[in-house]
Amino acid sequence: MTLLTFFGCAFTAYGPSLAIFFGFIAPNPQLVILLVSSRAESGLNMVAKHPKSVYNRSGYAFAAGMGFGLMFGIISYITQLVQSTGPGILMCISCPGISLYFVSAITTCILILHHSVWMMISFTGFTMRSYPRILWVIVSHYGASYLTLLNASPTVTLGCVYSIMGNIVLLLASIAIVMVDVRNLQQKLA
Amino acid sequence: MKFYMLQIYKIIKPVVVCICLSILWVKISMAGSDYRPTQSSYTVYNESATSTVSQNFLGSLANAGIIIGQIVIVTIIIVIMFKRGHIKILIGFFMVVVAMLLGFMGYILLLNLIQVLRIPLDYITMAFALWNFAVAGLISVFWKGPMWLQQVYLTVMSSLMAFSLTGLAEWTTWMLLALLVVWDLIAVLCPFGPLKILVESSRNQNQEVPALLYTVNAVWFMASPPNSILEREYSRSKEGSTVRDSVEESGDLRRDVFNGGHSRSTGREGGTSISSSRHSGLDTPFSTGGRMSGNSSTVALVPTASNQSADHGDIELRERTPSSSSPRSGGSTTSDRDRRSASVRRAQAIEQGSRSRPQDGGDNDGDGDDEDESGGLKLGLGDFVFYSVLIARAAMFDWVTTMCCMVAVLTGMNATIFLLAIYQKALPALPISICFGMLFYFATRFALVPFLAALGPSQVFI
């Protein structure tokens, strides 16, 4: 059971982001480098496959955000993940029916994606000087983090459900913003 | 620039694999095995939990100083021998050392695996398997073999070497890494640094004496992905009539130059210490004018003179292995000390003329990207080893530190390669990465780990 827990949690937490990594980022050397060490973004434009493409920036932002998110996800969750193979099990405090490891895995997965879209939004926000976007990133980041406090809340029943649902809603909202931005780019192009 | 991007990408992969293997070995051997690498016999000071900080500091400085001293001496010996043209002697040494490394460290690792995983295995089978493993490695590294096999062996060798170095005590490891950074800077950047001399003399000698190259060189293609090889072969066949000497032809193309060396030095305390250094370089055979020079522990990129269109010629990854001390459970200690030296060159200085350019896939899409870089990147095997040593040491503490150090080392490597693009000369690859790695290790260990330990169980994600 412990090994099953381990693999289940590992793939829950990192599966989606790894799928994105291998599908979208790995074939593209620049993006991999950006993911590993995000810097020199402007220099990368010169070497892009399509140097003029307006989508470059979005792609870079996504790769950088994914790198940041993966780093975050690994650092904050790997200790628990390793412990999940151990002899015991911890239950989530607010939802005693589910193990802590699994709830954390879901949260990690959502937060990694969060970081990717946050990075895209803040790239757009800072280049266009659009303060509402920057504000949204900051506020939703705080919101997502505070929501995870519910996981361990002894008083709120089913706190982990609220936490996860709230995070998903925030993620969807952020994705909607990104979609709108990309569509704007498209229209500018046309 | 684009060329560098591809180079970085190609180099990252073997480095990551090597690091992951080292982490795996460490984690396995920490899971309660009796056969962990032990302190080698030439360390003069043994750390203990009760000793004071200053005792630890001075003692580990002495230990690391001894190791560094050996490295320096062996490097100089190799440089001298290389300059005098005793390449066959070097190769002989290197072969012995590679065989020892694969055999003994493979044996220790296998004991670890068997014990931890509880695999029943008799000695005869194991000896047979080990013998085959070592000999196949020797052949593929020094003579010829499928490209992927060479890559696998070089990566495995680096990780074995790093594994053997995890036997050093903690303070000694950090001190050793810090001193290595200094040594690396001196050796590569000083006007009379041994490694710099080595690089230059290898370049000169190659051009003068192409015949030597073949004997010396083995081929290794770690750096290039298969499809680019195909492309090269294609372009090469196209170019058919090149001057490319019979020498290279006889080998596969893919082979390039490799020069591996080991040197053995007599051990000082109780035993022999073997120093081995190997390098392998690889170039694409085609590069016409491209010449690479590697420096140990450096990523060297040498622009070739006069190349016109084709700039990206070769990729070379050269590896150097540094020292490893291998601890033997039996008591006989052999320490491998490494030394690096390597040189790679390619024989054909001559044919500048044939300009067929092999380009790897990405390169072709004609970006006229300035910078005629026609060199390739070489990363010393020693760099692989010490990166892995750092991370293996971090892995002995915690997973979080491991991951942080891994990212730090890779970032440092990227930064080095960017600097390479700017300065266009051989640079030591260790300093930035190792400094980042050490910084991150201590920052993580003392700040981040306790913080996460508080956050984790309460499931707060920041």
Side-chain angles (χ1 to χ4, degrees):
Chain A
M1 191 60 197
T2 52
L3 211 56
L4 291 183
T5 311
F6 173 81
F7 282 111
C9 287
F11 288 127
T12 306
Y14 304 119
S17 24
L18 285 183
I20 292 174
F21 174 77
F22 285 112
F24 170 65
I25 296 179
N28 195 334
Q30 291 108 296
L31 294 186
V32 174
I33 290 159
L34 208 53
L35 181 135
V36 175
S37 57
S38 23
R39 55 180 66 186
E41 182 262 341
S42 62
L44 287 174
N45 257 330
M46 297 189 311
V47 297
K49 231 176 230 166
H50 311 288
K52 301 288 187 216
S53 167
V54 288
Y55 298 117
N56 277 347
R57 183 173 290 274
S58 313
Y60 295 153
F62 184 75
M66 179 62 81
F68 190 76
L70 272 177
M71 199 58 219
F72 164 83
I74 288 172
I75 287 199
S76 55
Y77 184 58
I78 198 163
T79 311
Q80 294 178 58
L81 184 61
V82 172
Q83 282 170 352
S84 72
T85 58
I89 192 167
L90 277 174
M91 285 305 174
C92 182
I93 297 172
S94 55
C95 325
I98 315 179
S99 86
L100 180 148
Y101 307 120
F102 189 60
V103 174
S104 292
I106 296 173
T107 318
T108 307
C109 165
I110 295 172
L111 277 175
I112 293 174
L113 299 176
H114 251 320
H115 275 287
S116 308
V117 288
W118 280 334
M119 191 69 88
M120 292 181 76
I121 296 174
S122 51
F123 259 54
T124 331
F126 280 110
T127 47
M128 293 170 51
R129 313 226 164 219
S130 141
Y131 294 103
R133 287 191 179 79
I134 300 172
L135 202 66
W136 165 255
V137 170
I138 295 173
V139 169
S140 63
H141 198 151
Y142 271 107
S145 294
Y146 278 124
L147 275 174
T148 59
L149 282 174
L150 290 174
N151 281 334
S153 161
T155 51
V156 184
T157 46
L158 296 185
C160 69
V161 177
Y162 298 130
S163 150
I164 291 171
M165 295 307 289
N167 266 317
I168 290 177
V169 169
L170 281 178
L171 182 62
L172 290 179
S174 299
I175 289 177
I177 294 178
V178 168
M179 300 288 278
V180 169
D181 284 345
V182 172
R183 177 162 302 171
N184 283 344
L185 276 179
Q186 237 169 357
Q187 282 169 352
K188 222 183 281 175
L189 209 63
Chain B
M1 272 314 260
K2 179 150 198 165
F3 169 73
Y4 284 103
M5 312 286 317
L6 288 167
Q7 297 289 302
I8 293 174
Y9 188 41
K10 285 172 190 160
I11 282 185
I12 281 181
K13 281 191 277 189
V15 170
V16 169
V17 170
C18 179
I19 288 171
C20 290
L21 280 179
S22 308
I23 294 175
L24 184 66
W25 305 150
V26 168
K27 289 291 178 191
I28 286 177
S29 72
M30 281 175 71
S33 157
D34 295 338
Y35 298 103
R36 287 199 38 71
T38 54
Q39 292 251 16
S40 50
S41 65
Y42 51 78
T43 52
V44 293
Y45 172 77
N46 290 317
E47 290 175 24
S48 66
T50 59
S51 52
T52 65
V53 171
S54 63
Q55 273 176 332
N56 269 335
F57 183 81
L58 292 176
S60 60
L61 193 64
N63 285 344
I66 291 173
I67 297 174
I68 290 283
Q70 292 175 335
I71 291 178
V72 170
I73 292 169
V74 173
T75 307
I76 292 173
I77 292 175
I78 288 180
V79 170
I80 291 173
M81 291 187 71
F82 191 81
K83 267 205 119 165
R84 296 282 173 82
H86 304 303
I87 291 185
K88 288 191 177 167
I89 300 179
L90 285 181
I91 294 187
F93 282 146
F94 290 173
M95 289 181 72
V96 171
V97 174
V98 168
M100 301 278 279
L101 177 69
L102 286 175
F104 285 125
M105 284 316 299
Y107 174 65
I108 294 198
L109 186 66
L110 210 54
L111 285 181
N112 275 310
L113 291 177
I114 288 171
Q115 194 186 23
V116 172
L117 304 181
R118 317 230 168 122
I119 306 169
L121 186 64
D122 62 292
Y123 269 104
I124 299 172
T125 310
M126 189 172 76
F128 183 73
L130 261 181
W131 172 256
N132 278 291
F133 173 73
V135 170
L138 213 57
I139 290 175
S140 69
V141 169
F142 286 96
W143 191 41
K144 59 169 104 176
M147 177 199 81
W148 61 268
L149 193 64
Q150 289 173 350
Q151 297 174 355
V152 168
Y153 266 107
L154 287 165
T155 311
V156 167
M157 267 186 324
S158 309
S159 69
L160 280 179
M161 197 84 97
F163 175 64
S164 72
L165 278 177
T166 59
L168 292 174
E170 184 171 7
W171 279 73
T172 307
T173 309
W174 296 118
M175 204 59 79
L176 174 65
L177 287 173
L179 289 180
L180 261 179
V181 168
V182 178
W183 164 242
D184 207 22
L185 280 174
I186 294 175
V188 178
L189 294 181
C190 279
F192 295 103
L195 296 178
K196 188 170 183 182
I197 294 175
L198 187 71
V199 171
E200 284 166 2
S201 68
S202 75
R203 224 182 308 170
N204 296 337
Q205 285 189 5
N206 286 334
Q207 295 185 346
E208 292 163 7
V209 208
L212 268 187
L213 296 183
Y214 178 65
T215 57
V216 173
N217 307 331
V219 176
W220 188 31
F221 244 144
M222 184 106 158
S224 39
N227 52 0
S228 68
I229 289 166
L230 290 182
E231 251 183 11
R232 282 182 196 135
E233 295 210 26
Y234 169 70
S235 66
R236 169 187 188 252
S237 62
K238 213 167 30 175
E239 112 179 313
S241 62
T242 7
V243 189
R244 172 74 30 175
D245 356 332
S246 54
V247 178
E248 292 207 25
E249 306 256 279
S250 61
D252 286 349
L253 315 178
R254 349 64 177 292
R255 70 200 51 218
D256 273 27
V257 185
F258 159 121
N259 169 358
H262 323 311
S263 62
R264 163 187 287 195
S265 59
T266 59
R268 32 197 76 197
E269 315 178 358
T272 58
S273 59
I274 300 168
S275 52
S276 64
S277 62
R278 16 188 350 269
H279 315 279
S280 54
L282 59 97
D283 302 357
T284 67
F286 304 109
S287 67
T288 57
R291 178 105 299 104
M292 345 282 340
S293 63
N295 347 358
S296 60
S297 78
T298 58
V299 182
L301 175 86
V302 180
T304 61
S306 76
N307 265 348
Q308 43 235 51
S309 56
D311 345 356
H312 320 289
D314 337 318
I315 302 167
E316 216 172 275
L317 182 68
R318 158 169 152 267
E319 302 218 321
R320 174 188 77 205
T321 2
S323 62
S324 66
S325 57
S326 66
R328 191 112 288 130
S329 60
S332 65
T333 59
T334 30
S335 50
D336 295 357
R337 167 98 319 160
D338 84 45
R339 213 38 267 123
R340 53 294 244 49
S341 60
S343 45
V344 180
R345 63 257 66 237
R346 98 185 7 192
Q348 73 300 0
I350 324 153
E351 63 271 38
Q352 299 294 54
S354 65
R355 225 40 164 338
S356 68
R357 225 22 194 307
Q359 314 197 344
D360 347 12
D363 285 348
N364 325 347
D365 39 24
D367 47 341
D369 232 7
D370 32 336
E371 318 185 7
D372 31 19
E373 299 116 0
S374 49
L377 288 180
K378 304 178 186 180
L379 184 64
L381 199 54
D383 300 323
F384 274 59
V385 173
F386 287 110
Y387 292 162
S388 306
V389 167
L390 190 145
I391 289 165
R393 172 48 69 179
M396 293 165 77
F397 183 70
D398 189 55
W399 273 106
V400 175
T401 54
T402 313
M403 289 301 164
C404 282
C405 287
M406 190 154 157
V407 171
V409 164
L410 290 180
T411 306
M413 200 177 77
N414 285 344
T416 309
I417 295 175
F418 276 119
L419 283 182
L420 197 64
I422 296 171
Y423 288 107
Q424 300 278 323
K425 66 175 202 174
L427 292 175
L430 284 178
I432 300 179
S433 293
I434 297 288
C435 290
F436 270 12
M438 290 173 71
L439 181 73
F440 271 61
Y441 175 80
F442 289 109
T444 312
R445 173 168 180 176
F446 294 115
L448 195 53
V449 170
F451 182 53
L452 290 173
L455 286 186
S458 56
Q459 293 186 293
V460 178
F461 286 77
I462 52 166

